[in-house]
Amino acid sequence: MPKKMALLIGVSEYGEDIPNLSAPPNDVAAMERILSDRNLGGFDPNWITTLINPDLAEMQIAIGNLFSQSERDDLALLFFSGHGITDDDNHLYLGTNITAKNNFVATAVTANFVQKQLSNSYCRRKVIILDCCYSGAFDNGWHTKSVGLDLNQQLGAEGTAILTSSSSTQTSFEQENAALSLYTQYLVEGIEKGAADIDKDGKIYVQELHNYAKKKVKAVKPNMKPEIILEKEGYNILLAQAPRDPQAEYRRLVEKYAKNGVLPNVALLILQSKRTELGLENGEAKQIEAEVLEPFRRRRENLEKYRQVLLNEVENQFPLDEHTQELLKTYQQDVLGLRDEDVTNIWAEIVTPLEETRPELPTPKPEIPKKIPEPTPELKTFEFETGTLKEKITEQKSGLLGLSRTTVSTWEIQRQRNSAEYFIENLGHGVTLDMVKIPAGEFLMGSPESEEGRLDSESPQHRVTVDSFFMGKYPVTQAQWKAVASLPKLHLDLNPDPSEFKGENRPVEQVSWYDAIEFCARLSKYTGKSYLLPSEAQWEYACRAGTTTPFHFGETISTDVANYDGNGTYGSGSQGVYRQETTPVGNFKVANNFGLFDLHGNVWEWCADPWHKNYEGAPTDGSVWDENSDGNIYLNYVDNLVNLMNLESDTRVVLRGGSWFDFPFGCRSAIRYYYDRRDNRLSHTYGFRVVCVAGRTL
């Protein structure tokens, strides 16, 4: 009979210059509780060994025993909670109670030692869980020993899985005022509450558990990146049974309906009905809701902590010196676990209004050589494929004899052919720019109150009439940017290669709004046509292309058709890929009905409009909304760039479309965002595309 064996190690006390921890003994106790529960982990308590604060020899012997005593068909699990340390070569060491900062190489257990025990073991199902700093470095030099394959129904598939709480370059977090370490907390919760049983088959597999814990950890501290290392079919090792009770079922429903820490009103109405159906008391239900939403609450608390610290520093000195900014960065990343993108709005709110100096700009207008207006460009026709995501419900058999039936929902792309007119702008050096004709029309701008994830800034919905114009088929690419940046300067210097994610056919990013305007100015002078940033109304009209759904693809979105953070879901859609970088434009081959690509995700796109908190008083003719000028200032960037840069109005401008970094709700057709047009060249999520008004030439 195969055994399930576990070694649980917690190290809270250390040698000189390494701070003690409070959570590891609690982590071990919690893991022991869920693993030994016969209705959950099903590990025989006689085969669970716990070690608290072992020395080097004790820890090595115990690890060696675990893998040497486990037999061919067993499952061997090693759990470690404590300090992880890396050397200059990025090799990982697991701290013991004698590990000191100045001699950790000789007093800590190396990851290489653990790897050798794994490789020498003939046990065919091995799980390693490392809740420690830099645990992702375990992958350095990882090799496995092939021992054949013989599926065992009691334990799941064979292979090795290493679950790590952080990447190879990150610290892991012990929580303030919490008994357990962050990653362990959600591993335990995933099993104990049944929340990690994503497919509701009553079983919790390794990758299901890791994905659940990772999602929860990133909701609290987005800068943390739990990772998983797999060999063979390690992802499918069966770790635990999911509890089957009304509370677990209700928790799954709350997990499903909660989006980014909020339960929409319609979700609350559904859940209220489900409470009665499941026989739950209101108090029980509210407790479950609070637990599900807790990671998001804690993240908001971390953001508020950062806000207060930044306010205090700004009150003490402004502008902030380099040393203070470095300390703020350390506090943001290493203490609060926040990314740069998470604190961008806080900086814009607190620091930007205090900035009194502006870049000195040349006052004389450049001489614009007069050109004979060019006729409307010669139009060509191109064919493209559009796609709508449609839900497909199928029934699948499961179980040993295939007697159980489960309903599976998948999303399929329904494709059809379409055509549009366009013209090609030659930028020189073999680089071209495709400009697609957008027909005149009318649309309903903004989102309805019933739309999932909507923001107040997207209301009220209002009908807008838009004249015909041309728009870039794709966001401006790095090749196109480089070609135009090589043209003579008009007002601003342009970095020919500003992007973080390099690639000639990837969208340009890390460009400010003023950079984008200088691009338009140079392109306009070079071609004799009037190239602009789109108005916000033009952008949404072009994106929707006659649709009224949250995405031009339909009611949901898939990472098969767009580049966004696939850890998030929208509507009844499924999780997908998180690529963590931009993709080449047109990579997904599916356009909207007007023939435009990459409107959802990849990069946020600058628009011409200053930011307004909602659509009260917005124009209905598709023009740029700027009550501080007559609007004509935007029509000729070449002549008016200096005036634009000296406007006394709010410096925030609109961005549309979402990016590779955002959850799907942040990539909807109606989503609006803003940033300071003055100096944001740092974000690798901001790009743009251009428009050209038919018949208008310089």
Side-chain angles (χ1 to χ4, degrees), residues 31-197:
M31 291 296 294
E32 183 180 21
R33 182 180 73 248
I34 60 170
L35 293 179
S36 62
D37 188 323
R38 65 180 182 178
N39 295 318
L40 297 175
F43 283 65
D44 186 333
N46 295 321
W47 289 105
I48 297 179
T49 302
T50 61
L51 281 183
I52 304 298
N53 297 322
D55 61 26
L56 177 63
E58 289 176 303
M59 195 157 147
Q60 287 182 325
I61 291 171
I63 293 172
N65 287 341
L66 171 69
F67 293 113
S68 64
Q69 294 176 6
S70 53
E71 298 175 347
R72 177 186 175 92
D73 293 326
D74 293 343
L75 187 158
L77 183 148
L78 170 63
F79 172 83
F80 174 82
S81 173
H83 277 305
I85 309 168
T86 54
D87 61 19
D88 292 340
D89 294 322
N90 204 35
H91 294 133
L92 177 66
Y93 296 78
L94 306 180
T96 70
N97 71 347
I98 61 171
T99 300
K101 187 174 182 180
N102 63 355
N103 67 346
F104 68 88
V105 173
T107 58
V109 175
T110 67
N112 183 258
F113 171 83
V114 181
Q115 291 167 0
K116 286 183 178 179
Q117 309 311 306
L118 281 171
S119 297
N120 292 332
S121 172
Y122 284 91
C123 173
R124 298 196 292 186
R125 295 173 186 85
K126 292 162 281 196
V127 177
I128 314 296
I129 302 174
L130 304 177
D131 195 341
C132 62
C133 299
Y134 315 112
S135 48
F138 189 92
D139 196 21
N140 193 348
W142 167 243
H143 299 285
T144 57
K145 182 176 182 179
S146 178
V147 291
L149 207 63
D150 181 15
L151 193 66
N152 186 298
Q153 294 295 332
Q154 295 184 30
L155 299 178
E158 297 172 356
T160 300
I162 298 102
L163 284 62
T164 68
S165 62
S166 62
S167 73
S168 62
T169 59
Q170 289 178 312
T171 56
S172 192
F173 291 90
E174 187 174 51
Q175 308 175 79
E176 296 178 18
N177 305 317
L180 303 182
S181 301
L182 189 61
Y183 185 60
T184 298
Q185 174 186 339
Y186 294 119
L187 292 177
V188 172
E189 180 180 283
I191 293 176
E192 198 161 41
K193 305 296 186 180
D197 181 18

Side-chain angles (χ1 to χ4, degrees), residues 550-561:
F551 309 91
H552 68 67
F553 295 113
E555 294 293 342
T556 190
I557 194 170
S558 160
T559 56
D560 292 331
V561 295

